[in-house]
Amino acid sequence: MAKIIAGIGSSHVPAIGAALDNGKTEEPYWKRVFSGFEKSKEWMAKTKPDVAIVVYNDHASAFSVEMIPTFALGCAAEFPPADEGWGPRPVPVVKGHPALAAHIAQSVILDEFDLTIVNKMEVDHGLTVPMNLLFGQPKDAWPCPVIPLAVNVVMYPPPTGHRCYMLGKALRRAVESYPEDLKVVIFGTGGLSHQISGPRAGLINSKWDKSFLDNLSKDPKKLTRIPHLEYMREAGAEGIEMVMWLIMRGALDDKVDEVYRFYTVPASNTAVGHIILENARKASGTGKVAGKSRRGSAGKSRQAAARKSIHRIASKGTR
Ligand code: DHB
Ligand code: FE
C-alpha cells in the first residue's frame, strides 16, 4: 500500500529561484533564507520519498484568464519548467508518475472531488522553488517523481480552506488505495503573508502567520473556518495561497509531529514560512531533523498512544 508519511509547507517566492539561478545564495540577505532549509534538505535526503505530490498554484504560466481550473492534477510523464519571462529556469524537467496520478484522479473524482485532468503542462516557480528548497539543485534529474496539483488562488473565487482540507483527506484515501508500497510526501506551497501590488504592497503579518503555523500543527480544523476575506485582510491579497497548505494538512493524520519549522521576513516582499509535519504512525525510514527539532516527549507519548490504538483496532478485527 502507498502511504503519505509526511507533509511539507513551503513558500515559493520567485526571487528565491532567481537567487539560486544567479549564484546569490551566499549573499547575507539570501543566506538568511537558505540557511533555514539546510536541515530540511538533510531530512529529505534521509526520508527518500518514492513520490512527491506538490500542491501549488500556477501564476498564469500554464493557464491564463482564458481557462482557470480550480483543482488540476498533473497526470503527464513530464512537466517542463515554464518560461516566466526570463526563459525557463535552469532546473531539471519534472518527471511525473502517470500510474499513481491516474489512480488518484479516479479515486478522488469517484470520491466526488471533480479534478481537472492535465496531460500536458509546464510548471512555474510555484512548484520548482519549493523543490529546490527541499531537494537542492540537482543538475540532471530530481530525486523522485512528482505529481503536481495546481490550485486556483489567482482569480476569484478560489476554493475554501475547508474544501482544500477535505480534498487532502480524499488524496490520502486515494494514495492508500494504491497497491504498490510507495513512500509519499505531500507539499503545500505558497504564502505566507504577502501582497505584491496595490496600496498595501509589501504587507507582512508575522503574528498572523505564526498563529497559522501553530494551528496547522495542532488545530488545523480551526484554520478551515478562516474566510477568504480574513486571508486578504490579515495576510494580504496573495496570502490566500495559504489555503493550499490545508490540502497538505488534510492528507495527514489529525495528530502530527512537527519536526521542523522556519520563518523569516522578508524574501522579496514576502514572509517565508516552512514546516515539516510527520504522521505519528509514519512508515519507517524518515530522517529526523537534527538540532532544531520540535518533537518532544509529548510527540513520543502520542506515538505510543497511536501504536496502542492500532493494536486495539487490530485486535477487534476491524482493520
Ligand atoms: C512573489 C510572487 C509569488 O508568486 C509569491 O508566492 C511570492 C512573491 C513576488 O513576485 O515577489
Ligand atoms: Fe505565488
Side-chain angles (χ1 to χ4, degrees):
M1 172 181 111
K3 195 159 173 34
I4 296 179
I5 54 167
I8 299 123
S10 170
S11 300
H12 63 214
V13 189
I16 294 178
L20 285 164
D21 300 345
N22 296 303
K24 293 188 176 167
T25 54
E26 291 303 312
E27 290 182 4
Y29 181 92
W30 288 112
K31 213 173 161 73
R32 169 181 49 86
V33 174
F34 290 110
S35 64
F37 290 84
E38 286 306 316
K39 298 264 191 256
S40 321
K41 283 192 283 183
E42 284 171 25
W43 176 89
M44 189 59 98
K46 281 192 204 139
T47 299
K48 290 194 183 59
D50 298 306
V51 184
I53 299 171
V54 181
V55 180
Y56 78 109
N57 67 290
D58 178 75
H59 301 75
S61 304
F63 307 119
S64 71
V65 286
E66 289 175 5
M67 184 176 59
I68 303 163
T70 300
F71 297 116
L73 187 72
C75 296
E78 56 179 45
F79 306 93
D83 182 348
E84 300 180 60
W86 295 270
R89 288 195 59 216
V91 294
V93 167
V94 174
K95 300 287 180 187
H97 194 306
L100 177 58
H103 173 85
I104 291 174
Q106 170 167 314
S107 173
V108 170
I109 290 170
L110 297 185
D111 219 352
E112 303 181 343
F113 283 84
D114 308 318
L115 303 182
T116 299
I117 293 168
V118 186
N119 291 320
K120 187 166 191 244
M121 180 165 74
E122 294 182 347
V123 288
D124 69 14
H125 69 270
L127 183 135
T128 58
V129 166
M131 294 275 289
N132 283 133
L133 289 171
L134 273 292
F135 293 111
Q137 288 177 282
K139 273 207 172 55
D140 301 320
W142 296 105
C144 70
V146 170
I147 299 177
L149 175 61
V151 180
N152 168 40
V153 290
V154 168
M155 188 152 181
Y156 195 80
T160 62
H162 181 254
R163 185 68 173 160
C164 288
Y165 188 70
M166 298 311 285
L167 174 58
K169 292 190 176 298
L171 282 171
R172 177 194 180 131
R173 288 191 288 274
V175 168
E176 290 186 353
S177 61
Y178 191 69
E180 196 181 332
D181 279 337
L182 293 175
K183 263 198 292 188
V184 180
V185 296
I186 180 164
F187 284 61
T189 75
L192 294 183
S193 55
H194 65 300
Q195 173 142 346
I196 52 184
S197 61
R200 296 203 311 161
L203 178 145
I204 285 177
N205 185 346
S206 298
K207 193 166 169 239
W208 199 85
D209 287 341
K210 287 178 182 168
S211 144
F212 185 91
L213 293 174
D214 289 343
N215 285 323
L216 195 75
S217 258
K218 299 220 167 62
D219 191 3
K221 286 202 184 102
K222 195 168 173 185
L223 299 179
T224 66
R225 295 190 288 271
I226 299 175
H228 288 146
L229 276 178
E230 183 176 335
Y231 283 100
M232 302 277 286
R233 187 179 65 239
E234 300 296 333
E238 280 74 32
I240 190 64
E241 288 182 345
M242 291 157 83
V243 293
M244 295 187 289
W245 292 43
L246 294 180
I247 298 181
M248 172 273 279
R249 187 62 183 88
L252 303 178
D253 289 349
D254 289 347
K255 286 200 164 42
V256 291
D257 290 333
E258 179 176 330
V259 297
Y260 187 63
R261 186 193 291 199
F262 174 63
Y263 183 84
T264 189
V265 167
S268 182
N269 270 339
T270 308
V272 171
H274 170 44
I275 204 163
I276 301 179
L277 303 172
E278 284 183 0
N279 274 342
R281 284 174 274 153
K282 65 187 180 299
S284 60
T286 55
K288 296 285 174 291
V289 175
K292 281 190 189 165
S293 172
R294 296 173 63 93
R295 182 204 298 275
S297 54
K300 279 185 195 134
S301 61
R302 262 208 311 275
Q303 278 183 311
R307 270 198 300 277
K308 267 194 204 146
S309 78
I310 292 172
H311 180 72
R312 265 203 309 276
I313 293 166
S315 57
K316 275 190 195 155
T318 53
R319 250 184 169 227

